[in-house]
């Protein structure tokens, strides 16, 4: 992973010192809240429903055991003993005291971490495929690209006061695990007909109150043109983007209002203007960055213990079959640790659990951890011989739930339990749905099914691209939950279809059960996934099951 140089270290430390002074002035009353607000947001500090919340960047979701242990220490010393992993591959601390935040930032700097640009109208934390460097389908590791973009965008003088926030995601595999089509700019590493590596550039994606799937603006961009072209796109949006209405300020609206063809032409013109200014230094920096992301030295071990355990232990076998993904090296596996125990808060990990995962990464995972946009933690490089001892350690830490990709592996935003913008709760709904299907013992029979829940129209829970999406809204002071079906966040991304009227909080879990039971009755074979069945059948049979059965129950 990337290691700070002297400039990185000095830059982060100077920003911590600057914010320490600003916090002291705020506490003394020398700054009003209105004056302090833009300063705290530049450092990832929000004022939430009940307390401050600090959002810490985990660039492209990559961290090591030392960093994870530091996050655990911060959770214990300055918060309530836990942290919340987010869909932007960040971690949030929900209860810090204002006077402690500079010390937290100092502790983060001690392990080469920060909270810069995790908020505000700027380029946010660059995200990437959480299987980067390990996936069997990978064209190239996307993390060097993400790191180049992080360095370029951090404190970029032209992009500190954008029309709205700006999000970039990078994917390096044939399968898109970074939801690139739902980002302001999505970058997919591809090969052209000559076998050369370059980039497919997607622009204008985003969810929120006006969800849109991004459009391909360049099918193949040569590697050396990446930074000037991305800068050109952001520059054009910075000039054209709406500043009169924050709900229409995102680049997706700019592309929609001007049309992709005109926007592309303007970006090309700007690209030609600035391209000569990129004299190759960016590629020299990129080559240096790549050296930090070399593959680990893989070990050779006997898998006999693994094979025997797999053959004789059903619980271990279920975990292996559910939570492991194919690694580029045959004797290795990618382990996804579910932070979604049935009935727990999705994405929350205690300090003890963070330390347990750090210990496993250090001992058995080449000292690498990843945070996924699905709010789980990944050990990307694990020899299969070590899987039994890893599983046993995860059981002790209450982290061995075998549900990755299943109905209880729910993405959920903090909702009205924490967020000042939320209009409904997300966490209790996710907990109730997960517990219901665990009680029914159906989730492994159901198979792959992604439920995503947002507590307001800002869509932090990605509900638009959930196979089943749930949006919580306020209807005359009462929580009301709308359902969408058929969404997809992969390379085949599509916005889900609205089913109709929403449901009260006490009815939403029953509604989800009716949808799932309809799927089980309608699928052609057990291997037909919910999403495949929905694509084949369309909305109507699920809508009928959802509302006709609801009407029948109401009439009884």
């Amino acid at each position: 992973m990337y290691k700070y140089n002297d400039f990185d270290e000095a830059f982060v430390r100077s920003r911590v010192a600057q914010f320490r002074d600003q916090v002291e002035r705020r506490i003394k009353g020398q700054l009003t809240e209105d004056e302090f607000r833009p300063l705290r947001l530049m450092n990832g500090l929000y004022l939430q429903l009940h307390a401050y919340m600090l959002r810490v960047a985990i660039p492209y979701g990559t961290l090591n055991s030392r960093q994870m242990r530091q996050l655990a220490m911060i959770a214990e010393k300055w918060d309530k003993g836990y942290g919340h992993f987010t869909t932007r591959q960040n971690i949030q601390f929900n209860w810090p005291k204002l006077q402690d935040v500079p010390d937290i930032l100092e502790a983060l700097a001690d392990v080469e971490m920060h909270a810069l640009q995790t908020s505000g109208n700027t380029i946010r934390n660059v995200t990437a495929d959480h299987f980067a460097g390990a996936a069997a389908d990978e064209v190239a590791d996307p993390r060097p690209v993400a790191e180049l973009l992080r360095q370029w965008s951090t404190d970029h003088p032209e992009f500190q006061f954008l029309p709205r926030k700006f999000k970039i995601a990078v994917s390096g595999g044939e399968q898109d695990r970074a939801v690139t089509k739902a980002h302001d700019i999505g970058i997919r590493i591809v090969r052209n007909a000559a076998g050369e590596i370059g980039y497919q550039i997607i622009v204008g994606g985003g969810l929120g109150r006006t969800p849109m799937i991004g459009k391909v603006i360049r099918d193949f961009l040569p590697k050396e043109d990446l930074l000037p072209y991305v800068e050109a796109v952001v520059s054009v949006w910075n000039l054209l983007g709406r500043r009169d209405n924050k709900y229409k300020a995102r680049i997706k609206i700019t592309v929609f209002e001007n049309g992709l063809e005109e926007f592309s032409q303007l970006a090309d013109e700007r690209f030609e203007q600035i391209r000569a200014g990129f004299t190759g230094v960016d590629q020299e920096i990129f080559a240096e960055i790549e050296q930090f992301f070399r593959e680990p030295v893989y070990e050779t071990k006997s898998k006999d213990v693994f094979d025997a355990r797999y053959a004789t232990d059903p619980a271990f076998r279920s975990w292996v079959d559910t939570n492991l993904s194919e690694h580029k090296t045959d004797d290795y596996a990618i382990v996804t640790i579910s932070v979604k125990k049935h009935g727990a808060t999705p994405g929350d990990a205690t300090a003890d659990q963070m330390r347990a995962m750090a210990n496993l990464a250090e001992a058995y995972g080449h000292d690498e951890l990843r945070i996924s946009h699905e709010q789980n933690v990944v050990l990307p490089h694990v020899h299969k011989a070590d899987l039994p001892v890893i599983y046993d350690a995860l059981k002790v830490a209450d982290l061995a739930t075998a549900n990755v990709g299943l109905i209880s592996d729910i993405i959920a935003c903090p909702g009205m339990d924490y967020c000042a913008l939320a209009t409904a709760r997300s966490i209790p709904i996710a907990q109730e749905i997960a517990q219901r299907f665990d009680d029914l013992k159906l989730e492994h029979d159901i198979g792959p099914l992604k439920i995503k829940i947002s507590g307001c129209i800002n869509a932090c829970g990605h509900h638009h691209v959930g196979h089943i999406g749930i949006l919580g809204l306020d209807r005359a002071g009462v929580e009301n939950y709308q359902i969408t079906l058929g969404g997809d966040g992969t390379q085949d991304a599509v916005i889900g279809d609205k089913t109709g009227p929403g449901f009260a909080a006490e009815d939403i879990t029953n509604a989800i059960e009716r949808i799932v039971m309809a799927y089980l009755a309608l699928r052609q074979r057990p291997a037909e996934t919910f999403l495949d069945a929905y694509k084949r059948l369309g909305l109507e049979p699920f809508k009928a099951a959802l509302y006709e059965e609801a009407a029948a129950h109401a009439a009884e």
Side-chain angles (χ1 to χ4, degrees):
M1 61 184 293
Y2 181 73
K3 300 294 184 184
Y4 277 15
N5 59 28
D6 291 342
F7 174 83
D8 297 323
E9 173 73 15
F11 177 80
V12 172
R13 295 290 183 181
S14 68
R15 286 293 296 267
V16 173
Q18 182 186 66
F19 190 57
R20 185 180 295 278
D21 176 67
Q22 292 163 349
V23 169
E24 289 175 0
R25 291 161 62 200
R26 173 69 185 114
I27 291 172
K28 291 176 181 177
Q30 295 170 353
L31 290 174
T32 67
E33 174 54 30
D34 286 344
E35 291 170 329
F36 183 60
R37 183 175 182 272
L39 303 176
R40 62 172 169 78
L41 290 177
M42 290 171 65
N43 292 277
L45 187 63
Y46 288 75
L47 186 56
Q48 293 286 74
L49 196 60
H50 307 293
Y52 284 103
M53 177 271 283
L54 181 66
R55 180 179 293 152
V56 176
I58 303 176
Y60 35 89
T62 294
L63 70 168
N64 59 28
S65 59
R66 180 168 174 250
Q67 292 170 326
M68 183 68 97
R69 290 191 186 101
Q70 193 78 334
L71 295 177
M73 184 277 290
I74 289 169
E76 280 187 334
K77 184 173 182 178
W78 291 300
D79 207 277
K80 293 191 176 183
Y82 68 94
H84 177 73
F85 294 114
T86 79
T87 56
R88 295 291 302 159
Q89 297 179 308
N90 296 312
I91 187 170
Q92 293 180 177
F93 295 107
N94 290 308
W95 303 99
K97 294 180 173 63
L98 178 58
Q99 63 267 29
D100 293 332
V101 173
D103 289 338
I104 297 173
L105 296 179
E106 199 78 58
L108 291 169
D110 289 342
V111 293
E112 302 182 8
M113 297 184 76
H114 61 79
L116 302 175
Q117 296 189 190
T118 57
S119 179
N121 293 339
T122 186
I123 297 173
R124 298 290 185 88
N125 185 38
V126 179
T127 60
D129 181 355
H130 43 271
F131 292 168
D137 68 337
E138 190 169 80
V139 177
D141 190 333
R143 291 175 300 158
V145 175
E147 175 59 28
L148 180 69
L149 290 165
R150 185 190 71 84
Q151 294 189 22
W152 160 81
S153 63
T154 301
D155 227 22
H156 192 303
E158 186 178 349
F159 303 139
Q160 293 308 297
F161 299 97
L162 294 168
R164 281 286 276 130
K165 57 188 174 183
F166 197 90
K167 299 176 180 180
I168 302 174
V170 191
S171 179
E174 294 176 8
Q175 298 293 314
D176 181 7
R177 288 175 288 267
V179 204
T180 57
K181 289 187 176 181
H183 282 75
D184 298 290
I185 289 180
I187 300 169
R188 298 194 66 198
I189 302 175
V190 295
R191 291 185 186 273
N192 64 11
E196 300 167 323
I197 289 179
Y199 310 105
Q200 182 189 75
I201 307 297
I202 301 160
V203 67
L207 303 178
R209 66 174 60 218
T210 311
M212 293 185 180
I213 297 299
K215 300 175 177 61
V216 175
I217 194 170
R218 279 290 188 102
D219 280 309
F220 186 85
L221 183 75
K223 291 178 67 174
E224 61 271 17
D225 289 338
L226 179 64
L227 274 196
Y229 189 77
V230 170
E231 181 156 320
V233 169
V234 183
S235 296
V236 169
W237 170 64
N238 197 20
L239 289 172
L240 292 181
R242 300 277 296 272
R243 283 180 162 84
D244 61 322
N245 185 333
K246 71 175 184 178
Y247 302 117
K248 297 183 178 180
R250 298 293 290 272
I251 193 173
K252 61 187 176 183
I253 302 299
T254 305
V255 172
F256 175 77
E257 290 183 341
N258 291 273
L260 181 64
E261 185 175 348
E262 181 179 343
F263 187 93
S264 177
Q265 182 179 336
L266 292 170
D268 287 344
E269 291 172 0
R270 178 62 178 160
F271 172 62
E272 292 302 326
Q273 289 173 356
I274 65 176
R275 188 181 191 183
F278 288 78
T279 59
V281 174
D282 57 316
Q283 289 305 297
E284 293 174 9
I285 294 172
F286 182 67
E288 292 174 3
I289 289 170
E290 285 186 304
Q291 300 307 307
F292 291 101
F293 295 94
R294 293 174 179 170
E295 285 191 65
V297 177
Y298 298 122
E299 300 174 278
T300 301
K301 301 179 183 180
S302 169
K303 301 197 300 294
D304 290 349
V305 174
F306 164 76
D307 292 336
R309 181 77 176 268
Y310 185 84
T312 59
D313 184 340
F316 176 70
R317 183 165 58 249
S318 176
W319 178 78
V320 167
D321 291 345
T322 307
N323 289 31
L324 268 58
S325 300
E326 184 181 4
H327 194 279
K328 62 174 64 176
T329 302
D330 288 342
D331 288 346
Y332 273 70
I334 301 169
V335 176
T336 299
I337 302 170
S338 172
V339 194
K340 311 278 184 64
K341 181 183 177 181
H342 302 107
T345 300
D348 276 10
T350 67
D352 285 341
Q353 288 176 325
M354 291 184 213
R355 279 189 286 267
M357 291 185 283
N359 293 341
L360 291 174
E362 187 173 47
Y364 307 107
H366 298 274
D367 204 24
E368 283 194 47
L369 296 130
R370 307 285 170 74
I371 308 304
S372 77
H373 78 270
E374 295 179 323
Q375 300 176 287
N376 288 319
V377 180
V378 176
L379 298 173
H381 308 290
V382 174
H383 198 287
K384 291 177 181 176
D386 296 322
L387 289 171
V389 68
I390 288 174
Y391 174 71
D392 290 340
L394 290 174
K395 282 178 66 178
V396 172
D398 215 11
L399 288 168
T401 305
N403 67 339
V404 171
L406 302 182
I407 195 168
S408 64
D409 184 14
I410 297 170
I411 288 179
C413 73
M416 211 160 59
D417 286 296
Y418 295 100
C419 182
L421 301 176
T423 51
R425 295 166 298 164
S426 298
I427 293 171
I429 303 304
Q431 293 170 321
E432 186 176 325
I433 292 171
Q435 194 62 59
R436 171 70 61 86
F437 285 95
D438 185 46
D439 292 343
L440 292 172
K441 303 302 177 189
L442 278 174
E443 63 179 337
H444 285 270
D445 184 36
I446 294 165
L449 203 168
K450 295 183 182 295
I451 293 182
K452 305 178 192 290
I453 307 174
S454 299
C456 78
I457 57 175
N458 289 305
C460 294
H462 296 185
H463 67 276
H464 294 107
V465 292
H467 301 168
I468 299 176
I470 302 173
L471 168 61
L473 296 170
D474 182 301
R475 291 283 186 259
V478 177
E479 292 170 285
N480 183 272
Y481 294 87
Q482 294 182 348
I483 296 174
T484 55
L485 299 177
D488 187 356
T490 70
Q491 63 277 4
D492 301 316
V494 64
I495 302 298
D497 301 315
K498 292 181 182 179
T499 57
F503 295 86
E506 60 269 21
D507 297 328
I508 185 63
T509 299
N510 290 333
I512 300 304
E513 183 178 336
R514 290 196 294 275
I515 291 170
V516 172
M517 293 304 181
Y519 153 67
L520 292 176
L522 292 166
R523 66 183 179 183
Q524 289 184 328
R525 59 195 186 285
E528 184 178 42
T529 67
F530 176 88
L531 190 58
D532 286 340
Y534 186 82
K535 289 177 180 177
R536 175 174 60 85
L537 296 165
L539 175 63
E540 289 310 313
F542 296 97
K543 187 174 180 178
L546 185 59
Y547 292 105
E548 289 177 11
E549 288 187 30
H553 287 305
E556 290 176 356

